[in-house]
Amino acid sequence: MAVLPPKPECSKIFNQLNNYPDLKSELIALDGMTTETQEKGKYRANNTIEVQELGTGDDGMVEFESESIGKYYMIAHTHNSPADSTYSVFSWLDFYAIKALLILNKIKTSKFVFYLMTADETRYAMTINNKNKFLKFFATKLDDNFDMNINKKRVDERDKYYAPYDPEADPLIIEESNDNLQDLKYFLSFLQDNDLGLTLFEVDQNFNTFEKLTYNKQTDNVDHTGCN
């Protein structure tokens, strides 16, 4: 039987792990920092020899540097303790950080992997399979690819799932949730319903197993497709 070629998005992950021997141990170490009260982050870029640390701002959140960095190949960060006040999935601000870096041409999308480890004991990797789709959805009036109808939908979807600017709102994805599976279903619905050009993987604690995740609304199940 012929061997099938590797899945492109899975290949981004395993090419990095194979090419950078220090990466797995750095990711495992970062995973151990989710009990701290401030976010922690690490990155690898085309102008770095090894994994580097990201800084943390006064608000306790990691800062994605852009001035001194070449192009990011990998960014990893944590959502930190306490578990009942942090997102178990990527946040709205995480999306906007990636959008800003893409606009600045600071991400090598053909290689890029975005990791998240949380105090809720979730671990995810995300890749960009279609940069244009992602940027079009997040485009604002200052961007060349701005579309008013997509802009309205983005605002509606933002408030439905996150509502980051309205403390009185009741969004689907909340920091106080203790139901990681339901958070994941909401998050995958957001990615899939808006065709964001992103692929999400669940990661085991040893960073050996990566499973592509999709949400099947008919069965109400999260389907796992292994990379290994």
Side-chain angles (χ1 to χ4, degrees):
M1 181 180 296
V3 177
L4 294 175
K7 305 177 186 71
E9 301 309 304
C10 292
S11 296
K12 292 180 183 179
I13 295 169
F14 288 112
N15 285 342
Q16 284 192 0
L17 292 172
N18 291 331
N19 292 335
Y20 309 136
D22 63 328
L23 179 54
K24 184 181 291 187
S25 62
E26 292 283 357
L27 292 172
I28 292 172
L30 187 61
D31 186 44
M33 298 179 185
T34 59
T35 56
E36 299 187 21
T37 56
Q38 289 190 322
E39 290 187 356
K40 303 293 181 181
K42 300 189 178 186
Y43 72 92
R44 180 123 196 190
N46 65 335
N47 62 346
T48 61
I49 299 174
E50 56 189 17
V51 174
Q52 305 289 320
E53 291 189 7
L54 288 170
T56 302
D58 294 337
D59 57 2
M61 301 173 67
V62 293
E63 297 179 328
F64 302 111
E65 300 176 25
S66 61
E67 292 185 3
S68 61
I69 307 300
K71 286 195 176 185
Y72 284 103
Y73 289 173
M74 182 280 299
I75 293 175
H77 81 294
T78 62
H79 286 172
N80 279 56
S81 183
D84 61 359
S85 63
T86 193
Y87 290 113
S88 67
V89 293
F90 290 91
S91 71
W92 186 257
L93 292 180
D94 291 336
F95 287 121
Y96 261 83
I98 294 304
K99 183 236 175 166
L101 292 173
L102 284 171
I103 291 293
L104 293 171
N105 197 28
K106 290 292 184 175
I107 289 178
K108 183 72 172 178
T109 54
S110 62
K111 297 179 180 289
F112 183 68
V113 184
F114 193 22
Y115 287 95
L116 173 68
M117 307 82 160
T118 80
D120 293 300
E121 298 185 359
T122 57
R123 300 170 197 85
Y124 297 112
M126 193 159 59
T127 59
I128 302 170
N129 60 65
N130 192 313
K131 178 178 73 173
N132 292 332
K133 287 182 177 180
F134 181 84
L135 287 176
K136 194 167 185 66
F137 181 80
F138 284 98
T140 60
K141 292 181 179 180
L142 297 178
D143 299 318
D144 293 336
N145 54 351
F146 176 74
D147 182 290
M148 182 59 75
N149 292 326
I150 295 176
N151 178 73
K152 183 179 184 305
K153 183 180 182 183
R154 183 187 71 255
V155 171
D156 290 343
E157 292 290 275
R158 178 198 68 193
D159 293 343
K160 174 183 177 181
Y161 286 98
Y162 288 99
Y165 309 117
D166 184 358
E168 303 301 321
D170 186 23
L172 295 175
I173 300 175
I174 59 175
E175 294 174 298
E176 296 83 1
S177 171
N178 58 10
D179 190 339
N180 294 342
L181 179 57
Q182 186 59 68
D183 291 346
L184 178 59
K185 290 177 181 179
Y186 288 145
F187 185 74
L188 288 169
S189 293
F190 172 64
L191 298 187
Q192 294 167 194
D193 291 351
N194 294 292
D195 194 18
L196 293 187
L198 301 172
T199 304
L200 185 70
F201 299 88
E202 191 170 58
V203 187
D204 75 312
Q205 63 183 356
N206 297 313
F207 292 82
N208 290 324
T209 302
F210 295 80
E211 294 182 327
K212 178 183 174 182
L213 303 176
T214 52
Y215 177 44
N216 186 325
K217 291 188 177 181
Q218 291 184 330
T219 63
D220 191 34
N221 290 323
V222 175
D223 295 330
H224 296 66
T225 303
C227 282
N228 306 72

